[in-house]
């Protein structure tokens, strides 16, 4: 099905040049970890990747002043977002709304790998534990 969600003649390019940055060293050994601030690319989102082979391991409880979307690209994770507990696996996306404390952990078996989209031009975080 062909998409036509808007009229392209109504959008004026803002003059930004295309940009590229390295999120992680793909020649190294996975799991991957890294981040690229949106301001590096001249864009409004920051991209992180998080990976671990250790079951039960994940980022500490933290909060952001903006939304964060988590894309599970490999394995299974348990997300703790406010009072909600959400299990997700490769191919699924979880939203962490702004101002809501969250964390996640590898459910196993095997590797967990995520791509995390921070809806901010830079990574801003307060750890809570």
């Amino acid at each position: 099905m062909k998409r036509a969600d808007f009229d392209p003649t109504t959008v004026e390019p803002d003059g930004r040049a295309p940009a590229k940055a390295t999120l992680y060293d793909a020649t190294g050994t996975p799991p991957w970890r890294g981040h690229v601030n949106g301001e590096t690319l001249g864009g409004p989102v920051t991209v992180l990747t998080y990976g671990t082979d250790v079951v039960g391991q994940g980022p500490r409880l933290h909060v952001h002043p903006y939304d964060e979307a988590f894309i599970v690209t490999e394995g299974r994770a348990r997300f703790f977002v406010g009072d909600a507990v959400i299990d997700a696996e490769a191919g699924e996306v979880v939203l962490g709304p702004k101002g809501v404390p969250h964390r996640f952990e590898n459910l196993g078996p095997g590797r967990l790998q995520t791509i995390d989209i921070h809806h901010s031009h830079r990574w801003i975080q307060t750890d809570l534990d």
Side-chain angles (χ1 to χ4, degrees):
M1 181 171 113
K2 182 178 177 181
R3 293 189 61 156
D5 297 331
F6 72 100
D7 178 355
T9 64
T10 65
V11 178
E12 184 70 30
D14 62 13
R16 287 178 294 155
K20 176 176 103 170
T22 300
L23 179 59
Y24 58 87
D25 178 4
T27 64
T29 303
W32 312 118
R33 291 194 188 179
H35 78 278
V36 173
N37 282 327
E39 59 197 2
T40 301
L41 297 173
V45 297
T46 293
V47 181
L48 280 74
T49 186
Y50 178 87
T52 183
D53 289 327
V54 179
V55 175
Q57 187 176 63
R60 63 189 333 145
L61 184 67
H62 62 277
V63 65
H64 308 285
Y66 50 76
D67 291 344
E68 182 176 9
F70 307 93
I71 305 162
V72 179
T73 61
E74 183 177 353
R76 299 180 325 123
R78 176 161 290 150
F79 290 84
F80 302 88
V81 183
D83 293 332
V85 177
I86 302 168
D87 289 349
E89 60 187 39
E92 296 182 318
V93 179
V94 174
L95 175 68
K98 70 179 180 180
V100 178
H102 56 272
R103 69 180 182 86
F104 61 91
E105 61 188 39
N106 183 358
L107 279 178
R111 174 170 298 141
L112 170 64
Q113 189 71 61
T114 67
I115 300 287
D116 309 333
I117 309 298
H118 289 235
H119 295 231
S120 172
H121 67 284
R122 64 185 175 91
W123 186 2
I124 305 167
Q125 176 172 309
T126 296
D127 294 335
L128 300 173
D129 64 359

